[in-house]
Amino acid sequence: MTRRVVEAIQEACPPQLFVIADGPRSGRPDEKRRCRETRSVVEDIRCESLVHRNYADENLGLRQRVVSGLNWVFDHVDRAIILEDDCMPDRSFFSFCEELLDRYADHSHVMSISGDNFQPRPRSEYSYYFSRYMHCWGWATWRSAWRHYDVDMESWPEVREGPWIEQLFASDRAASYWRSVFDRVYQREVDSWAYVWQYSIWMNGGVNILPEKNLVSNIGHGEEATHTRDAGWYTSRSISTLKQPLEHPPCIVRHADADDYTQRWLYDQTTIRKIMSRTYQYLRNVLPN
């Protein structure tokens, strides 16, 4: 998977490439070898990128490694396009992020740009729309936004019992869902940097940019995955090319209908969603590719 993603990055040939790697977990001697093999994939980048490497000797865990790695990146640059090693991008993902990083650099409430689209139908006549949700399978942001990252969610105990969550959503179900998620992340029961980033964006009144077409596919689901062990309808979505030049919406307004769909079908643990996911997994197993 890493090799496939690196090949896609090489085609884009960014001027600078920052490589972040976690270390092997203790008690798993096979991981030292596997870490070496994976790192070897990025040792021979065949393009003119200036390559910077930040390798951990020991396992830091998902949240700490991603956050410490991105802190290191933003010590050197003021913006970055970010891909984990199982996120396969379309070539247009890079130009999409690059153009919007320039366009919205001075809009402090626009805090991230994602390459993911999980919508069932077109939502906009433009190339992208604005959302409350940050999707992390291929994304971009600025140093100025990342500085709001609240790694320990220090403000959560104070805002948890207030009306803040309810004011974000139109339904009690959604508010209850996110309160439960943030409780588990705050208690370190869930090792996630992305939920903390979503929390930090909402705490700062931020919005996110999502493309009208899906530009990145997560190819890393399976038994060895950290979180996406069961393939759902939202994993391995096919990728499309977003045509240039981009068509920009005239104002920064969140797409409420698209966000309502995302909450219902991507996050809410409803019976029908569980049935859909299990049906999808079954069909993937029995139908030919």
Side-chain angles (χ1 to χ4, degrees):
M1 288 183 289
T2 304
R3 183 173 290 107
R4 290 173 61 187
V5 174
V6 167
E7 288 172 354
I9 292 172
Q10 287 186 146
E11 290 183 9
C13 200
Q16 296 192 76
L17 178 62
F18 294 83
V19 184
I20 304 161
D22 206 353
R25 288 171 287 188
S26 61
R28 302 195 182 195
D30 62 310
E31 287 197 355
K32 291 183 179 181
R33 172 186 56 81
R34 296 174 72 181
C35 282
R36 287 196 302 270
E37 290 176 352
T38 305
R39 293 175 185 186
S40 70
V41 173
V42 295
E43 290 302 318
D44 186 25
I45 300 293
R46 296 184 302 277
C47 69
E48 296 182 356
S49 299
L50 176 61
V51 181
H52 312 267
R53 297 176 177 85
N54 188 317
Y55 296 162
D57 296 326
E58 299 178 349
N59 188 265
L60 302 178
L62 185 57
R63 185 194 303 195
Q64 185 178 350
R65 176 69 289 208
V66 171
V67 173
S68 62
L70 290 182
N71 289 342
W72 166 71
V73 169
F74 289 119
D75 283 341
H76 293 82
V77 294
D78 68 350
R79 62 192 66 183
I81 299 171
I82 302 148
L83 284 164
E84 294 184 69
D85 59 355
D86 57 1
C87 296
M88 187 67 186
D90 180 75
R91 178 67 182 267
S92 63
F93 164 72
F94 297 97
S95 56
F96 172 74
C97 289
E98 187 173 12
E99 180 171 341
L100 297 186
L101 283 170
D102 284 340
R103 185 179 181 88
Y104 293 100
D106 296 326
H107 293 258
S108 60
H109 54 299
V110 179
M111 294 183 68
S112 80
I113 303 160
S114 175
D116 304 318
N117 181 301
F118 301 122
Q119 299 296 313
R121 61 183 182 275
R123 291 294 189 178
S124 169
E125 60 186 293
Y126 306 106
S127 301
Y128 57 94
Y129 63 94
F130 296 93
S131 171
R132 70 158 53 100
Y133 297 103
M134 178 270 170
H135 299 315
C136 65
W137 293 345
W139 61 291
T141 193
W142 303 263
R143 177 198 292 153
S144 57
W146 185 251
R147 66 182 176 84
H148 294 295
Y149 192 92
D150 182 5
V151 64
D152 295 317
M153 297 178 63
E154 292 181 358
S155 55
W156 176 239
E158 180 180 352
V159 302
R160 185 192 186 282
E161 302 303 330
W164 175 71
I165 286 283
E166 284 77 7
Q167 291 170 353
L168 281 173
F169 302 100
S171 76
D172 292 338
R173 180 192 294 274
S176 177
Y177 170 84
W178 285 102
R179 181 176 282 109
S180 175
V181 167
F182 292 149
D183 277 344
R184 288 182 287 134
V185 175
Y186 177 77
Q187 297 294 339
R188 302 278 178 163
E189 295 173 6
V190 176
D191 185 19
S192 170
W193 65 269
Y195 280 139
V196 181
W197 181 220
Q198 180 69 89
Y199 172 78
S200 302
I201 290 171
W202 288 345
M203 281 295 297
N204 288 278
V207 295
N208 311 278
I209 293 174
L210 302 182
E212 190 53 51
K213 293 184 177 181
N214 189 53
L215 306 180
V216 183
S217 178
N218 186 313
I219 60 176
H221 54 78
E223 292 184 0
E224 295 184 352
T226 302
H227 293 304
T228 55
R229 295 184 182 180
D230 295 326
W233 61 270
Y234 51 89
T235 58
S236 289
R237 285 173 62 85
S238 60
I239 55 178
S240 302
T241 297
L242 200 60
K243 67 178 182 179
Q244 298 286 340
L246 296 182
E247 297 182 28
H248 303 283
C251 54
I252 302 173
V253 177
R254 182 178 68 85
H255 198 304
D257 289 344
D259 280 356
D260 287 346
Y261 177 90
T262 297
Q263 182 62 43
R264 289 197 310 272
W265 293 100
L266 195 61
Y267 296 117
D268 285 348
Q269 297 296 314
T270 59
T271 299
I272 191 168
R273 182 190 166 207
K274 292 177 182 177
I275 292 172
M276 281 185 59
S277 246
R278 289 170 184 170
T279 302
Y280 181 84
Q281 292 172 42
Y282 171 77
L283 292 174
R284 282 177 60 93
N285 290 331
V286 301
L287 296 178
N289 293 328

